[in-house]
Amino acid sequence: MSDPKKDVAPEPDLVEEDDEATLPETDEAAAIAPDEVAGSLAAGRDAVVAAIKQAPSRPGVYRMIDGRGDVLYVGKAKNIKKRIAAYARPTGLDTRIERMIAQTRTLEFVVTRTETEALLLEANLIKRLRPRFNVTLRDDKSFPYILITSDHWAPQILKHRGARSRPGQYYGPFASVWAVNRTVNALQRAFLLRSCSDPFFESRTRPCLLYQIKRCSAPCTKEIDYPDYAALVREANAFLSGRSKSVKEQLAAAMEEASTALDFEHAAIYRDRLAALSAIQSQQGINPRTVEEADVFAVHQQGGFTCVEVFFFRTGQNWGNRAYFPKADKSLGPGEVLSAFLAQFYDDKPPPRLVLISHAIEDRALLAEALATKSGHRVEISLPQRGEKKDLMAHALANAREALGRKLAETSSQHKLLNQLAETFALPRPPRRIEVYDNSHIQGTNAVGAMIVAGPEGFRKKDYRKFNIRSTELTPGDDFAMMREVLERRFKRLMNEAPRTLPSPLAGEGGVAQSGAPGEGPGIPANAGIPEPSPALALLGFPPPQGGREDDDESPWPDLVLIDGGLGQLNAAREVLAGLGAEVPLVAIAKGPDRDAGRETFFLPGRDSFKLPPRDPVLYFVERLRDEAHRFAVGSHRTRRARDMREAGLQEIAGIGPTRKRALLHHFGTLKAIERAAVTDLMQVEGISAETARRIYEFFHEGAA
């Protein structure tokens, strides 16, 4: 009997990260001692005064840059010279501006034709450069859409994210992939549109499982003719375009007509489709009657943090909401944060015709003009005062309060875990950046090393890295050698791009000091362990600054490196770091007997191995980090392996030559379809015996390490 999973077209995956963004780290580094401010403020003002002479009296954007070349602030102005001159005033500046001026050493200008262009350029530069003193939109991801294609006689419904290059009707944005998945599943039940890819569609000789469970009308095998399928497509487009009432009335009338004619089978089909449409609308929560198309932005501030809750309404339907936590100085009010947030939010997204905001913003007219210029239609930015729009804003504000309160509680728990982690592994302070490494391969083939990164805010997926193992001299399956290559490439590049200078050599894992005699020569002392912080290092906040300012949240150097493996992997890692002269705390995690979670053994340099109690929160936390690294490594390996198989074709399989390969492709259409096929399906191909079919199946379904 064939596997049902092989008889359904695979749905395209959209990567979904956390439903809500994470809280930014507090910018302690921006706090300068009063005497330092007094000493450097004069130098900063001198730099501003010197820049005024070259500043143009035209609209544009200016950048304030510190002595290391890092951009501190990006601003726009109708008249750049007048705006820069305001920074040179001896009094009247708030503490935040004084800190910024104190660190400024040069200024750069870009002239634009209009102030509107300056606003758009400012938003783009802030997102790209992430200056310390600007409000910055973090965790900015593209939104998913629903696409009904128009480039095939049987249009397909699917999830879409990215450029709208394929012909068809796009509906969105949706706040999350979860919301899109839920809606697409309901739409399939309501309108029976196909979701399979074109190659899968063309290769079908019988309906797939989705037809059996009444989620597709199977146009692939002509179970429905073209005019009837086209009618289903029109109904789906009408529903998503806001004409849901009309569509439901038509379905209800058809159900009544079928019931009157005693055609109860078709009446039941219409009944189920109506139920699916009702389910979509009931899951959408509030659906406004007077707001056809709008984005609603509500701001709430608490504890020095800001939450911006965004609701999306399209075609009179609520398509979800998402919470953002922009990085902003504590001195900025909700209106100032919201103004900067909106410009960055719409930098790469099409704005709706109406934007509702919870607080007044200074450049409302200018921002509306900029969004209209970019989108090609009028955009209204409104602060609702009464009626349904006011109710929508109150609902959004309540969600913003709840999201920020929930995130503050989660962040507090995360900090407690990191404190316990530091105590367990004898770290000098809670780690801000944890790197976890793992390898994945099948008998040494398509070997991939993976690094994931976590910190106080959770997983930092933008920092994840994969390493295709390059060495041709490795023994297949040599995990130690693979780990050495991955760490050597990672830390060699890190030392070149962000070199660190220790105040004094320390004895430690991979260090160059021995037996309390710093700097006497290379080696790994027998008692090497995670170094204890000296008073000087404690003042510096060990680990010391690594390629960036102290307490820099963006420092690329890890405070802790976790290795998936035992003592052998730990020694391989120490050997690499010692050879490079890099000092980083190391911990190896060995799986328990029978690979049971909860029975892991931990190995640290200079310490006996140990286990943590089964219910220890630190154990769960480390397991989660290890499992995420394993997931990323295995996923990267499978992607590389699938690519290699597509390039090599089927002829890697014993007994498959050009003739049988051609027969398989003629029967199934694509390599993907062959990969999904069950053994019984493979045996139906001319020239494929039971044994050959078994080898093909095992080739595609062998588990990854």
Side-chain angles (χ1 to χ4, degrees):
M1 182 177 178
S2 64
D3 185 350
K5 295 181 180 179
K6 310 302 175 192
D7 203 27
V8 182
E11 297 185 6
D13 291 331
L14 293 184
V15 177
E16 177 68 2
E17 298 183 9
D18 297 339
D19 291 336
E20 294 178 349
T22 55
L23 288 179
E25 287 289 310
T26 54
D27 195 3
E28 299 173 358
I32 306 176
D35 55 343
E36 277 190 72
V37 173
S40 57
L41 189 56
R45 282 206 176 98
D46 290 343
V48 172
V49 170
I52 293 174
K53 300 175 183 178
Q54 281 78 38
S57 299
R58 297 175 57 188
V61 171
Y62 60 93
R63 286 178 284 183
M64 307 181 79
I65 302 170
D66 66 12
R68 298 180 307 173
D70 294 334
V71 177
L72 297 171
Y73 183 77
V74 174
K76 69 178 185 307
K78 188 174 183 179
N79 185 312
I80 295 178
K81 184 183 285 287
K82 288 184 179 179
R83 177 61 58 84
I84 297 302
Y87 291 117
R89 293 198 308 250
T91 59
L93 301 176
D94 62 33
T95 305
R96 168 177 164 269
I97 300 300
E98 286 188 344
R99 291 204 316 263
M100 182 174 70
I101 295 174
Q103 298 177 53
T104 300
R105 293 299 174 264
T106 57
L107 287 90
E108 294 179 354
F109 314 108
V110 177
V111 174
T112 60
R113 291 177 298 178
T114 64
E115 191 178 5
T116 299
E117 289 184 4
L119 185 147
L120 295 173
L121 177 60
E122 177 199 37
N124 183 272
L125 289 175
I126 291 173
K127 286 185 68 174
R128 186 158 53 89
L129 300 175
R130 298 184 178 273
R132 287 175 57 200
F133 288 92
N134 281 99
V135 175
T136 54
L137 172 57
R138 304 162 61 253
D139 304 296
D140 184 33
K141 303 186 287 288
S142 63
F143 291 101
Y145 284 74
I146 290 176
L147 167 62
I148 298 181
T149 63
S150 61
D151 57 355
H152 193 279
W153 73 265
Q156 171 191 8
I157 185 171
L158 70 156
K159 301 165 284 188
H160 177 83
R161 176 178 273 161
R164 304 186 192 183
S165 56
R166 187 171 181 183
Q169 298 295 321
Y170 292 83
Y171 300 99
F174 286 80
S176 66
V177 170
W178 175 81
V180 171
N181 287 337
R182 180 195 64 199
T183 305
V184 167
N185 288 340
L187 288 172
Q188 285 180 285
R189 292 194 297 272
F191 299 108
L192 308 176
L193 301 187
R194 73 176 180 98
S195 59
C196 58
S197 65
D198 290 348
F200 186 86
F201 178 90
E202 301 295 345
S203 67
R204 297 304 301 174
T205 57
R206 55 186 174 84
C208 71
L209 185 62
L210 291 179
Y211 174 76
Q212 308 297 336
I213 62 175
K214 296 181 174 58
R215 281 179 51 186
C216 180
S217 55
C220 54
T221 55
K222 305 299 188 294
E223 307 299 321
I224 183 173
D225 58 22
Y226 173 75
D228 290 342
Y229 189 79
L232 293 177
V233 174
R234 286 195 299 272
E235 290 175 358
N237 279 314
F239 181 84
L240 289 171
S241 298
R243 300 191 295 275
S244 57
K245 183 177 180 181
S246 172
V247 173
K248 293 179 72 174
E249 287 174 351
Q250 292 175 15
L251 289 176
M255 181 180 67
E256 289 294 334
E257 182 180 345
S259 179
T260 302
L262 304 181
D263 187 357
F264 298 118
E265 183 177 355
H266 281 89
I269 292 174
Y270 290 124
R271 178 202 63 199
D272 294 342
R273 292 178 60 191
L274 276 169
L277 293 182
S278 299
I280 295 174
Q281 294 179 315
S282 66
Q283 291 167 348
Q284 289 174 338
I286 53 171
N287 288 305
R289 296 183 301 276
T290 60
V291 177
E292 182 73 12
E293 176 183 310
D295 287 346
V296 180
F297 294 83
V299 182
H300 179 68
Q301 293 182 319
Q302 179 183 342
F305 296 99
T306 301
C307 174
V308 180
E309 189 80 26
V310 188
F311 275 79
F312 306 99
F313 295 95
R314 297 293 185 275
T315 65
Q317 303 176 64
N318 176 9
W319 282 352
N321 58 294
R322 180 179 290 181
Y324 290 87
F325 303 93
K327 187 173 184 179
D329 191 89
K330 297 178 181 179
S331 64
L332 297 177
E336 295 172 286
V337 175
L338 183 57
S339 178
F341 179 90
L342 286 172
Q344 295 175 55
F345 183 83
Y346 288 118
D347 178 58
D348 56 357
K349 302 176 184 68
R353 299 182 182 276
L354 176 62
V355 175
L356 300 178
I357 55 176
S358 61
H359 295 77
I361 60 176
E362 183 178 352
D363 297 327
R364 192 197 321 189
L366 178 62
L367 180 59
E369 181 184 349
L371 295 180
T373 300
K374 183 177 178 181
S375 63
H377 60 74
R378 182 175 179 271
V379 176
E380 178 187 357
I381 300 178
S382 174
L383 185 65
Q385 301 296 326
R386 64 184 66 85
E388 187 177 40
K389 295 177 183 177
K390 180 72 172 178
D391 294 339
L392 292 177
M393 186 57 67
H395 181 71
L397 280 168
N399 276 267
R401 282 192 295 271
E402 292 176 6
L404 184 54
R406 185 166 58 248
K407 192 59 66 175
L408 287 170
E410 291 174 3
T411 302
S412 175
S413 299
Q414 185 82 351
H415 281 290
K416 289 180 181 177
L417 271 176
L418 292 174
N419 284 328
Q420 294 175 22
L421 183 73
E423 181 180 347
T424 300
F425 295 144
L427 301 177
R429 71 173 187 187
R432 295 190 176 188
R433 180 184 176 98
I434 303 171
E435 293 183 358
V436 190
Y437 293 86
D438 193 11
N439 298 324
S440 183
H441 60 91
I442 294 178
Q443 297 179 350
T445 61
N446 303 118
V448 174
M451 175 191 83
I452 66 112
V453 181
E457 72 280 19
F459 292 118
R460 300 180 183 175
K461 298 195 175 183
K462 66 183 179 66
D463 291 338
Y464 285 18
R465 296 292 181 270
K466 60 182 178 182
F467 303 83
N468 291 330
I469 303 300
R470 300 171 179 167
S471 177
T472 58
E473 301 177 358
L474 295 182
T475 303
D478 187 346
D479 285 330
F480 302 153
M482 293 179 192
M483 185 61 67
R484 280 193 290 267
E485 178 179 331
V486 169
L487 292 175
E488 183 175 0
R489 286 166 57 186
R490 159 64 178 157
F491 283 94
K492 184 179 290 185
R493 179 170 182 174
L494 185 58
M495 295 182 76
N496 289 334
E497 294 181 351
R500 60 187 277 193
T501 303
L502 292 173
S504 61
L506 293 172
E509 78 284 8
V512 296
Q514 297 190 49
S515 306
E520 290 186 0
I524 305 175
N527 61 348
I530 296 176
E532 293 295 329
S534 66
L537 284 177
L539 290 174
L540 290 172
F542 182 86
Q546 299 151 8
R549 60 184 177 270
E550 179 57 26
D551 290 334
D552 187 350
D553 301 328
E554 301 300 324
S555 172
W557 279 85
D559 299 323
L560 174 64
V561 169
L562 296 177
I563 305 293
D564 185 12
L567 188 59
Q569 277 86 351
L570 178 67
N571 289 334
R574 293 178 66 198
E575 178 185 334
V576 170
L577 296 182
L580 296 174
E583 294 187 4
V584 180
L586 286 169
V587 176
I589 317 158
K591 298 180 180 67
D594 302 321
R595 306 173 75 88
D596 286 345
R599 303 174 66 185
E600 285 80 1
T601 302
F602 295 90
F603 297 89
L604 280 74
R607 289 178 55 177
D608 294 334
S609 61
F610 62 92
K611 288 181 170 65
L612 292 175
R615 296 181 181 271
D616 193 318
V618 173
L619 178 61
Y620 288 130
F621 180 61
V622 173
E623 285 176 351
R624 186 182 175 206
L625 295 177
R626 190 267 318 278
D627 292 345
E628 172 67 4
H630 184 69
R631 180 200 66 79
F632 184 59
V634 170
S636 301
H637 162 79
R638 287 176 176 165
T639 300
R640 185 182 180 192
R641 180 168 171 254
R643 184 180 65 246
D644 284 357
M645 284 193 296
R646 285 195 298 271
E647 293 172 356
L650 296 164
Q651 290 174 228
E652 287 188 3
I653 307 173
I656 300 296
T659 302
R660 286 178 175 172
K661 175 183 176 181
R662 194 179 308 112
L664 285 163
L665 290 173
H666 282 171
H667 183 86
F668 291 101
T670 65
L671 187 64
K672 278 288 184 183
I674 298 172
E675 182 178 347
R676 289 189 298 264
V679 173
T680 52
D681 295 328
L682 292 167
M683 290 172 59
Q684 296 175 11
V685 180
E686 184 179 357
I688 302 298
S689 65
E691 178 62 22
T692 304
R694 182 188 60 78
R695 284 201 297 266
I696 296 171
Y697 184 86
E698 291 179 352
F699 178 81
F700 286 112
H701 296 82
E702 186 177 6

